Amino acid sequence: MGETPVAVVSGLRHRYGTTLALDGMAFEVRPGELYGLIGPDGAGKTTTVRALAGLLEPNEGTVRIGGGDPLDPRSGVREHLGYMPQRFGLYRDLSVDENLRFFGDLFCLDRKTFLERRDRLMTITRLAPFLARRADALSGGMYKKLALSCALLHQPDLLILDEPTNGVDPVSRGELWDLLADFTTQGMAVLVTTSYMDEAARCSRVGLASGGRLILEGRPADLVAAFGDAVLRVEPGAGASTDDVEATLAREGRAIEAVTPLGTGLRVVVRGDDADRITARLEETTATVRRMTPGFEDLYLARMASTSTGEGP
Amino acid sequence: MTDAVIRCRDLGRTFGDFHAVRDVTFEVPPGEIFGYLGANGAGKSTTIRILCGLLSPSSGHAEVAGFDVAKDPEAVKRRIGYMSQKFSLYPDLTVEENLDFFGGAYGLSGRTLRARIDAVVDEVGLRSERKAMTSSLPGGRQQRVALANALLHDPRILFLDEPTAGVDPAARREFLALVRRRVQAGATVFLTTHYLDEAEYCRRVGLMVAGRLVALGTPAELKAAWAPGDVRVLRGAPTALGGAVRPIPGVLAVQSLGGGIRIRVEAGRLDTVLAAARSADPDVAVEVAEPTLDDVFLAVVQGGDR
């Protein structure tokens, strides 16, 4: 999609006291894109999101949404932006419907527009049967969906969600990602942050963040395809144990990138060029070896390792 | 009598009229990493606190290391190591001072305590940070201090309550490697997590939903039982592909991905489904994928009891 980006973040640097939270964060989000900003706690995700939402003035760098500066109240950026922070402030003692009405009023929606949008959002989030329920009586997943609906009432061009799936059960997580994918097919741009590496596959494009900047960016399928290592699932043969497998692997030295337990066997990350040879060697010991699809955590850790040893991007 | 080191039968715990844990039955044999999995509020921490002798069960029976947790919680506590979600460390004490303090609480003192502190500091790789203020350490290092604490009295059974929450992936892997080394040395580990990919590390996994243990087995067994069929990733237009595939009988699950969809299909139905996908998007590319514990969790929650 060659359209003009909805959001442009460039050269962001920001310090909290002695902590460098952002150190050259830069990326773009285009219309219809589900962009995942992914990284562990402390990678700079929330600081970036706060800068995008106009809640924080970065020490250096610029943020543009629809060409406007979110820090400038006259830019009209807020009208184009839906923002769901980690703790979305719903009124817990108001009902689902009352919360929606409150946000409808905030965005100055007329009654007819409000009702149309409310009903559509309640249908797609499947919250319609719970309109009269108090917000504090909703489950975690339902609460998130209500927060999402409130952030969407004014039909923003860009929806920003900060760790919406953190601590949410896997079923609700799955539903939320499906909803976000739906929105983007209608042209909305969505920026999501998450610390769950495996959620990268749900995004149309991802930026993996570490130390306040991106260390890897691209379409998930392309990133996995370009990954130079192979991931092997190794089950020890009859009468053998994972210790025996590890003894075999120990002789391979630097070809082995990582070994972790995996159920009754091991998960072994090896350099791609060595995968066939190591597989053959393991099979000689009667172990069963199967190639697995690498995960985004593998990509992340490999990139971290190559960055710290100076091999560069 | 089996030689299980953890044994629960019909275990239950209520808080007022809320059933945090109900009718939970399982056993953990020695030398196993047992993963206890579920969303926030599913009853994981309540179970772990009962097993550690910190909370009495409302019903049922639990034994750890051969001792009844309700009748003899002190005997249980002496034999287990417990690491809680919020690493209960004193931030304004150094690493060594924390270990010294907790060692005293375990009844260790003098030369024995010194020797144990040396041993655990080496085991978790904190030798160079002994004199560091705990609050000055990054999350991953604090997590190691908490683990060192739980290992001070050299327990044979370790309870780890969401030990990797909020820790970065590199530290998480290193931590799990430390845990694994303990297991290779003969310890048994009971760990809770809400990261489904982390549960893949465990030899066996129990899945908690709303206070009940609804599935139990090795990751491979759970996948075979709850998420059977063929898993494929179809690369192409997600909306068109999803629309074409969803209504076909035998399609068990459809997930949207960036630039495609992921489907799980009943055995024998794949050809029909792929043909439909190709007529919706002639350029579709098909990749073989594997079921995950996410699929299991979804199937368990949607399918109810089996």
Side-chain angles (χ1 to χ4, degrees):
Chain A
M1 278 174 243
E3 291 161 83
T4 321
V6 185
V8 182
V9 170
S10 52
L12 289 194
R13 285 171 66 84
H14 194 74
R15 231 172 237 293
Y16 296 111
T18 56
T19 310
L20 190 59
L22 295 180
D23 185 18
M25 180 65 74
F27 58 87
E28 296 179 356
V29 187
R30 299 170 202 139
E33 193 165 66
L34 177 49
Y35 189 95
L37 184 59
I38 299 175
D41 290 1
K45 304 187 299 292
T46 296
T47 307
T48 305
V49 160
R50 290 175 57 80
L52 273 160
L55 300 173
L56 174 135
E57 185 174 0
N59 299 150
E60 282 175 46
T62 54
V63 174
R64 290 290 176 270
I65 292 174
D69 182 350
L71 287 168
D72 178 0
R74 290 158 306 173
S75 66
V77 162
R78 292 295 177 88
E79 287 151 45
H80 301 288
L81 181 70
Y83 171 48
M84 194 169 118
Q86 281 176 41
R87 296 188 187 280
F88 192 93
L90 293 173
Y91 289 91
R92 307 192 74 94
D93 53 349
L94 294 186
S95 70
V96 169
D97 193 32
E98 287 162 345
N99 269 292
L100 287 163
R101 278 175 198 278
F102 175 81
F103 281 91
D105 287 344
L106 268 189
F107 293 123
C108 306
L109 301 182
D110 64 69
R111 189 177 160 71
K112 182 163 165 290
T113 313
F114 167 74
L115 289 175
E116 271 170 22
R117 291 185 186 174
R118 178 196 72 181
D119 292 347
R120 201 176 72 87
L121 287 166
M122 291 300 95
T123 306
I124 55 180
T125 55
R126 293 193 279 121
L127 283 176
F130 308 104
L131 270 174
R133 186 176 288 194
R134 274 168 58 129
D136 58 6
L138 297 175
S139 71
M142 284 161 74
Y143 187 92
K144 294 268 181 188
K145 288 197 284 187
L146 175 56
L148 183 62
S149 303
C150 292
L152 285 172
L153 269 175
H154 63 304
Q155 297 195 336
D157 301 324
L158 172 67
L159 174 66
I160 300 177
L161 306 100
D162 195 14
E163 307 223 10
T165 55
N166 192 11
V168 173
D169 74 84
V171 177
S172 306
R173 273 170 64 184
E175 274 187 1
L176 195 69
W177 280 107
D178 285 339
L179 278 177
L180 297 180
D182 266 1
F183 297 144
T184 55
T185 59
Q186 290 146 36
M188 191 192 292
V190 179
L191 172 73
V192 194
T193 72
T194 176
S195 58
Y196 294 97
M197 293 280 157
D198 55 341
E199 292 185 332
R202 294 291 212 142
C203 306
S204 48
R205 218 151 53 89
V206 295
L208 300 187
S210 171
R213 69 174 92 122
L214 296 190
I215 55 168
L216 203 56
E217 189 188 38
R219 299 194 320 161
D222 295 344
L223 294 179
V224 171
F227 186 51
D229 291 346
V231 181
L232 308 177
R233 170 180 207 124
V234 186
E235 291 289 341
S241 75
T242 52
D243 291 353
D244 302 322
V245 174
E246 281 195 278
T248 309
L249 293 173
R251 288 194 281 278
E252 297 296 335
R254 282 170 54 86
I256 310 294
E257 305 275 4
V259 180
T260 41
L262 185 69
T264 52
L266 294 174
R267 185 176 190 282
V268 183
V269 184
V270 303
R271 291 186 186 173
D273 296 342
D274 300 312
D276 290 339
R277 188 173 50 77
I278 291 169
T279 301
R281 184 118 343 138
L282 287 165
E283 283 171 347
E284 282 165 22
T285 71
T286 74
T288 316
V289 183
R290 211 146 49 89
R291 276 292 261 273
M292 299 174 70
T293 315
F296 285 87
E297 190 173 288
D298 297 310
L299 271 63
Y300 187 88
L301 290 173
R303 176 49 62 103
M304 291 289 289
S306 69
T307 310
S308 63
T309 56
E311 281 176 41
Chain B
M1 284 283 272
T2 62
D3 62 350
V5 292
I6 303 171
R7 190 178 292 143
C8 296
R9 202 169 345 102
D10 305 324
L11 197 65
R13 171 72 204 201
T14 52
F15 295 103
D17 55 3
F18 174 66
H19 288 258
V21 171
R22 48 169 105 198
D23 304 330
V24 166
T25 299
F26 67 86
E27 290 187 353
V28 181
E32 182 164 283
I33 302 183
F34 184 87
Y36 210 52
L37 195 66
N40 292 350
K44 304 190 299 289
S45 293
T46 303
T47 309
I48 222 170
R49 286 164 64 206
I50 293 172
L51 293 176
C52 291
L54 300 171
L55 189 71
S56 59
S58 311
S59 55
H61 181 82
E63 250 176 58
V64 171
F67 294 92
D68 187 317
V69 297
K71 293 198 186 111
D72 206 349
E74 294 313 312
V76 169
K77 285 181 202 164
R78 280 197 294 277
R79 284 165 181 81
I80 61 160
Y82 170 59
M83 181 175 154
S84 73
Q85 284 175 38
K86 307 254 178 286
F87 322 137
S88 42
L89 302 169
Y90 290 97
D92 50 355
L93 294 185
T94 65
V95 169
E96 199 169 72
E97 286 164 347
N98 263 297
L99 294 171
D100 199 56
F101 175 82
F102 284 97
Y106 284 126
L108 300 171
S109 62
R111 213 177 298 157
T112 321
L113 177 56
R114 294 266 78 74
R116 282 307 302 156
I117 290 177
D118 289 345
V120 293
V121 160
D122 279 353
E123 180 172 348
V124 305
L126 281 174
R127 194 187 289 195
S128 59
E129 284 124 316
R130 275 178 89 133
K131 306 280 183 206
M133 200 60 87
T134 305
S135 58
S136 72
L137 299 176
R141 307 304 286 179
Q142 292 195 21
Q143 174 203 38
R144 287 179 180 223
V145 183
L147 179 64
N149 256 337
L151 295 174
L152 269 175
H153 57 308
D154 205 14
R156 306 286 291 167
I157 308 170
L158 266 181
F159 288 94
L160 309 174
D161 195 7
E162 303 216 354
T164 59
V167 170
D168 74 77
R172 179 161 80 128
R173 267 198 191 172
E174 287 163 13
F175 180 83
L176 291 165
L178 287 175
V179 169
R180 182 148 179 278
R181 229 173 285 153
R182 265 272 146 176
V183 170
Q184 283 170 321
T188 305
V189 172
F190 183 101
L191 86 91
T192 69
T193 179
H194 65 264
Y195 290 101
L196 290 160
D197 59 339
E198 191 165 296
E200 300 271 4
Y201 290 107
C202 302
R203 192 173 185 289
R204 280 194 313 148
V205 173
L207 222 156
M208 290 287 285
V209 176
R212 289 182 197 275
L213 181 65
V214 290
L216 177 69
T218 65
E221 287 166 359
L222 291 176
K223 289 172 194 171
W226 290 93
D230 298 305
V231 181
R232 294 290 183 276
V233 169
L234 311 182
R235 299 269 167 217
T239 318
L241 287 171
V245 163
R246 263 197 190 87
I248 302 176
V251 174
L252 302 168
V254 181
Q255 257 181 4
S256 58
L257 298 178
I261 59 173
R262 180 178 179 278
I263 57 171
R264 189 160 58 81
V265 180
E266 246 172 61
R269 303 277 194 148
L270 192 60
D271 290 343
T272 323
V273 174
L274 293 184
R278 282 193 190 97
S279 62
D281 182 352
D283 300 324
V284 67
V286 181
E287 297 165 16
V288 179
E290 295 177 46
T292 62
L293 285 174
D294 266 287
D295 296 316
V296 172
F297 197 101
L298 283 169
V300 167
V301 171
Q302 287 163 357
D305 290 292
R306 177 171 296 192

